[in-house]
Amino acid sequence: MISSRIGRTLLKVIIPASLICTLLLIAQQNGAWSAIRSGHRSTTSTGGQLYHPKPHQNGTRENAAFVVLVRNDDLTSMRETMQQLEDRFNRKFGYPWIFLNNEPFDEKFKEFTSGLATGDTYYGTFDESMWGYPEWIDQDKARAARDDMAAKGIIYGGSESYRHMCRFQSGFFFRHPLLDDFDYYWRVEPHVKFTCDIDYDPFTVMREKQLKYGWTISIKEYVETIPTLWETVKNFINEHPDHVVPKNDPESLLGWISNDGGESYNLCHFWSNFEIGSLAWLRSKEYLDYFNYLDRAGGFFYERWGDAPVHSIAAALMLKQSEVHWFYDIGYFHNPWYQCPSEPEWLPAEKCSCDPDNSFDKHWYSCTPEYLKVTGKQRTDYLIAQRN
Amino acid sequence: MISSRIGRTLLKVIIPASLICTLLLIAQQNGAWSAIRSGHRSTTSTGGQLYHPKPHQNGTRENAAFVVLVRNDDLTSMRETMQQLEDRFNRKFGYPWIFLNNEPFDEKFKEFTSGLATGDTYYGTFDESMWGYPEWIDQDKARAARDDMAAKGIIYGGSESYRHMCRFQSGFFFRHPLLDDFDYYWRVEPHVKFTCDIDYDPFTVMREKQLKYGWTISIKEYVETIPTLWETVKNFINEHPDHVVPKNDPESLLGWISNDGGESYNLCHFWSNFEIGSLAWLRSKEYLDYFNYLDRAGGFFYERWGDAPVHSIAAALMLKQSEVHWFYDIGYFHNPWYQCPSEPEWLPAEKCSCDPDNSFDKHWYSCTPEYLKVTGKQRTDYLIAQRN
């Protein structure tokens, strides 16, 4: 199905995407919730119409936060990422940061992240219900699957903690109590870069345009990590036809993830190391039914299902095109790929440090050209940044 | 004299310090000056006394600029560095940027750097008087010396353009016409990082404290690149005793570069990829006599004298201790070393993204502990940053 050349490329793609996960090596299962609140304390053209997010009143923000799954050892790269996101966006807005970890954060991590944040900082751990084996998983079978995938040289095929991470990001982070008060999240990871000034509030865009999911980079998945995922999804669709947008609906995104009307998955997904999303959507009965269905099937442990295809398939099946937004003008880097806007021409020159000629959205391995084709849009339709 | 282990370490140190230079591979000698002006457009404790730089009046700045020797191919890393220095410092001050190149800058370079600058941008080239062979240099002998050093595996020992670069930085950049109107320069290179908020104006500190030279990282030089430099310097001192601070002057810095009263050089130097300095000093008869003396001796071509030891020896011989400043609180990274302040403890936590536990100033290979010993100061004596 997939040539060895593509396989090798996928290996190169998966490695960086999975960086944070490898660092979460020990799936230590803490026995209790932990939620520490730190004491430290535009325009888009859509169909030719101009959209301007309304300015915030003094001191008001959306109910939104950054969410980071990170471990203590990532402190320095986390701080570099924080400093960039504060510089490019948050120093003008002051949104809070929520840090999650399967082990307790140490004092230095808390002091050195809260010190850089313009908003409040929260530090949470979670228990085995979010980072462990459900009762229906055969752990011997899971171990054998890991050994088998490791022997085949599948990237992170042998890693247990990577699987816990993917399941956590697929089905649990949005149910962590620290997120209870928020409506929107912005997923951030250490090691990523934000390269363009963001002078508007993406959370306001989410609310005003009634968006459910926002992304920057799209790419194809490594097929050997998800051999039965699509069959499982199809079974879910058959059992819950009411949960998905009808495939003949002009607003359907199915055509972006399947080239044959849903028979097979074309491996396209949004790179989930960056996400701006609606927590209400992830908490919805529809999404939870979907996650629970996948979770019961066991592929998070018997295969190595990633949260990127899991989220992306859900978005493509359950959301309308108009509920999904490409944050085209948010310059973003996750090793080794950049999203760097190229038009209008003033944008990269005046607001970004990335090279638009090196943007992944025009790369042959990106799924973004197909996304534009399916949605019938062009890059500038997703533009919100304004020239000062 | 120097163990192979130290030699290997020196190799590791020299490689990154020389990065920009390797990129300047072709010593193309353009025939004419080029000076394009772009149409685009606190507190330190000294001996217990607090020093506060006076705030600028609206719109006033020092007569100062950033100076960057850079080539077109370094555009993206240059922009990452610019964005950081603008974020950490210059967006509040608006100092101009001067870009110099031995080849003409292309339009993309000019557009994409002026777009990120808050101050004016200037683009200049220079002719063979600044980037070529003086008439007294035997080019066959120079070539043989390069071949010999390359055969010995001395880093950049075989590079011609690296030598032109070192000579340019030692004796010419401050005489480029684009710098004529300025009193102070801040040397910047692509690939470096600025990691701490700089809330004060270092140029004002230079003027008010009558400083001539400012640095962040000190380190030891690779001895095989400068076998006869110190003998040449001693001859210069003998011929120009009036140009140097007497060695028994309590303000002398000689003890930092020589452990035996000037008999030999201990290889200590300020890492010149970062410098904030007085152009008047470099333009002075004393400094030019010194540079011309070294230039006549031919070591820039027959050996591989670096601008770092050349500048540093000049500073240590000609300047008083009170005219040299360690910009301790300017977080700085040049691969592979960080200067990251560790005290007072709020500083790295709240204003920096670097890890103070990883700062080179406490590394065994740094010359900064010796600097503090010679000057009788401690780190906090160099502190200017203030807690907000």
Side-chain angles (χ1 to χ4, degrees), chain A residues 76 79-80 83 87-88 91 108 111-112 115-116 193 195 338 348-357, chain B residues 76 79-80 83 87-88 91 108 111-112 115-116 193 195 338 348-357:
Chain A
T76 297
R79 277 159 54 78
E80 290 179 359
Q83 198 180 47
D87 287 339
R88 301 275 72 72
R91 66 181 168 80
K108 181 175 178 182
E111 180 188 359
F112 275 70
L116 279 186
K193 297 182 187 179
T195 58
Y338 275 99
E350 297 176 15
K351 289 179 181 282
C352 306
S353 59
C354 52
D355 182 357
D357 295 337
Chain B
T76 297
R79 278 159 54 78
E80 290 178 0
Q83 197 180 47
D87 287 337
R88 300 276 72 74
R91 65 182 167 81
K108 181 174 178 182
E111 180 188 358
F112 275 69
L116 280 186
K193 298 182 186 178
T195 59
Y338 274 99
E350 297 175 15
K351 289 180 181 282
C352 307
S353 59
C354 52
D355 182 356
D357 295 338

